[in-house]
Amino acid sequence: MPSTAQQKLIEIFDEKILQNLYEKRMGNEIAGDVLGEEYAGYTLRISGGNDKQGFCMQQGILTNTRVRLLMKKGSPGYRPRRRGERKRKSIRGCIVGHDIAVLNLVVSGNGPNPIPGLTDESVPRRLGPKRANNIRKLFNLEKGDDVTKYVIHRSFTNKKGVEQRKAPKVQRLITPLMLQRKRARKSAKLSAVIKNQEAAAEYKKLVAQRMAEQKEARRSLISKRRSTRKSLKAAAE
């Protein structure tokens, strides 16, 4: 149960009870009365399950049997070993069948009577939040408060029998060093942009100079040819 963080294992061998679960899909809600009088008034949601060989149910596959699908990166139940690798693997559909060995149910609605081992008491969280904003949200802190003073520590005994305390490293914590590195990255990016602009301007200036030199050389060559032609024409006359 999510609110109490408790779990309970129930073994059902009565086929009449199991008949009420067949042909149900993942995400469907069922009344707790089908499991017995103890769960009367409760609403249970099917969140998954495994068959006898350990193949898990997958949402979106509308069958109550096992199928072989071509898996790729991001597909549930498959981890590619090489880049771009695809593989055909077995997976079970999202419909409850007779060969389902384990069915996971989540309590989505409470009933009038508490269930021993499930709703009678709550299990405290073993680990606290480690992200800075989540710590502020948990302790209702302001933006200027020091988050590191509110980190939840955990005590445990190591292999040598010594009592030790452990605390997570606060993530996404804005420190002066982080701001300094951010400013350094920003200034490096700005200096690179300015350097590229200066290099581009210098290149344009050099190209314009070379074009002007080419024009001047062509003009001088044309004037030389004209003067040569005039001199040859005057000599011929």
Side-chain angles (χ1 to χ4, degrees):
M1 185 171 179
S3 59
T4 60
Q6 285 188 313
Q7 297 179 0
K8 189 173 184 179
L9 176 63
I10 309 167
E11 294 186 0
I12 301 174
F13 300 100
D14 190 357
E15 190 64 28
K16 291 182 179 179
I17 297 176
L18 296 176
Q19 287 290 338
N20 297 317
L21 300 175
Y22 292 158
E23 301 303 322
K24 300 286 186 183
R25 296 184 186 179
M26 287 177 59
N28 288 359
E29 292 186 347
I30 60 173
D33 304 347
V34 300
L35 301 180
E37 295 295 332
E38 184 183 4
Y39 303 94
Y42 283 84
T43 305
L44 307 174
R45 177 172 51 83
I46 301 174
S47 61
N50 301 330
D51 61 5
K52 296 177 181 178
Q53 286 75 32
F55 292 93
C56 62
M57 299 170 65
Q58 182 176 337
Q59 185 68 276
I61 303 176
L62 302 178
T63 180
N64 59 355
T65 58
R66 196 188 307 165
V67 293
R68 288 177 61 82
L69 299 179
L70 190 63
M71 302 286 188
K72 62 179 182 178
K73 183 180 179 182
S75 300
Y78 174 65
R79 181 170 61 90
R81 266 63 174 182
R82 302 176 67 181
R83 184 177 180 183
E85 182 185 26
R86 296 190 299 169
K87 197 171 184 180
R88 194 171 294 278
K89 294 184 72 69
S90 296
I91 200 159
R92 178 153 292 279
C94 65
I95 300 175
V96 180
H98 65 280
D99 51 355
I100 292 291
V102 179
L103 192 66
N104 303 325
L105 302 174
V106 179
V107 177
S108 58
N110 291 333
N113 301 322
I115 302 172
L118 189 62
T119 60
D120 53 349
E121 59 183 20
S122 61
V123 177
R125 290 179 61 178
R126 190 177 74 91
L127 302 176
K130 59 189 298 186
R131 192 183 297 176
N133 283 340
N134 291 341
I135 296 174
R136 291 191 186 99
K137 191 186 298 181
L138 179 63
F139 293 101
N140 198 16
L141 302 178
E142 298 294 334
K143 192 173 182 180
D145 295 335
D146 189 6
V147 181
T148 56
K149 295 180 181 178
Y150 295 88
V151 178
I152 297 176
H153 292 72
R154 177 171 62 90
S155 300
F156 69 101
T157 305
N158 60 8
K159 295 181 179 179
K160 297 181 181 179
V162 180
E163 187 77 16
Q164 288 186 344
R165 295 184 72 205
K166 210 173 198 179
K169 180 183 177 182
V170 181
Q171 302 293 322
R172 302 187 186 181
L173 182 64
I174 299 175
T175 59
L177 182 60
M178 181 183 290
L179 296 176
Q180 179 184 347
R181 288 172 178 168
K182 186 177 180 181
R183 288 194 298 269
R185 288 195 301 269
K186 188 176 180 181
S187 64
K189 189 181 291 186
L190 185 62
S191 62
V193 171
I194 294 173
K195 184 178 179 182
N196 291 336
Q197 289 177 351
E198 291 177 352
E202 187 176 353
Y203 177 73
K204 286 182 180 179
K205 184 178 178 182
L206 182 62
V207 168
Q209 181 181 350
R210 294 288 168 82
M211 292 293 290
E213 290 175 358
Q214 288 179 3
K215 286 182 180 179
E216 186 64 30
R218 184 171 177 78
R219 193 180 296 115
S220 63
L221 181 62
I222 291 172
S223 62
K224 255 185 203 179
R225 285 177 181 174
R226 285 176 180 173
S227 62
T228 305
R229 286 174 186 171
K230 285 182 181 178
S231 61
L232 289 174
K233 190 175 181 180
E237 290 176 354

